[in-house]
Amino acid sequence: MAAGGGGKAGRLQVRKAARGGWTPAKRAAFLEHLAATCNIAASARAVGMAPRGAHALKARDAAFAADWAGAIEAAYETLEARLLAYALGDAEGESEVESEAEADGDAEAESRGAHFDPRVAVQALGFRKRGGAAGGTGAGTLCKRVSLAELEAVLVARLDALDAQAASVTGDA
């Protein structure tokens, strides 16, 4: 039992201490799941907690908030890599290692889902560029739908630009 502050008459109020809660193990598992899925609600449920509790912990714990931001960034980087793999001809946007991990029943690979939709990936990355739910211009609006050919053309142009930039740095013209 934990003692609380005084009531109107200055008496102590007694309440039960929280059981379990956000233990270090639950925090780590939540952040790992969040980095794999970029899904806050699913990550909270995966560790037996409510999404609102995750948000409350983030609001009161600066270290957890920083780890949360890092997990979201890692998830976006994974999404970018899968989109790039898709653009380069890997039909599902996965590497052989990821495919083998899914075949072996790897929980992290399964949490990403077997289906990869490049249109949804582009929308998610657009949401990130605009600042996500935290604000930024156009936050919460969806990107326009583009054809697969348009998506591939944009990605190939960006790859060509990166290749030219790398060639200029290394002196290979």
Side-chain angles (χ1 to χ4, degrees):
M1 298 271 212
K8 284 184 182 178
R11 294 183 298 254
L12 290 178
Q13 295 179 348
V14 180
R15 61 187 168 107
K16 291 182 179 180
R19 283 204 178 126
W22 284 95
T23 64
K26 282 186 179 179
R27 289 177 186 214
F30 170 84
L31 293 168
E32 182 178 339
H33 195 276
L34 184 61
T37 64
C38 204
N39 186 326
I40 297 161
S43 299
R45 286 190 299 269
V47 297
M49 302 299 283
R52 73 175 186 274
H55 285 285
L57 178 60
K58 178 184 171 197
R60 71 176 181 266
D61 185 334
F64 184 72
D67 291 342
W68 177 311
I72 294 289
E73 187 62 28
Y76 278 126
E77 288 174 7
T78 299
L79 184 59
E80 287 172 342
R82 291 187 75 191
L83 190 56
L84 184 59
Y86 180 86
L88 293 173
D90 184 356
E92 287 298 315
E94 300 174 344
S95 67
E96 288 181 30
V97 174
E98 286 176 323
S99 297
E100 289 172 13
E102 284 182 7
D104 292 340
D106 179 36
E108 184 178 329
E110 288 175 11
S111 69
R112 285 192 297 267
H115 179 69
F116 178 74
D117 186 342
R119 291 180 186 96
V120 172
V122 169
Q123 286 180 342
L125 292 173
F127 184 70
R128 170 194 188 200
K129 186 174 184 179
R130 289 188 308 273
T137 58
T141 60
L142 295 177
C143 296
K144 71 172 190 164
R145 291 195 178 263
V146 297
S147 70
L148 192 53
E150 290 173 303
L151 172 64
E152 289 174 352
V154 168
L155 290 172
V156 167
R158 289 186 182 172
L159 288 172
D160 289 343
L162 286 172
D163 191 35
Q165 182 182 11
S168 69
V169 170
T170 61
D172 299 337

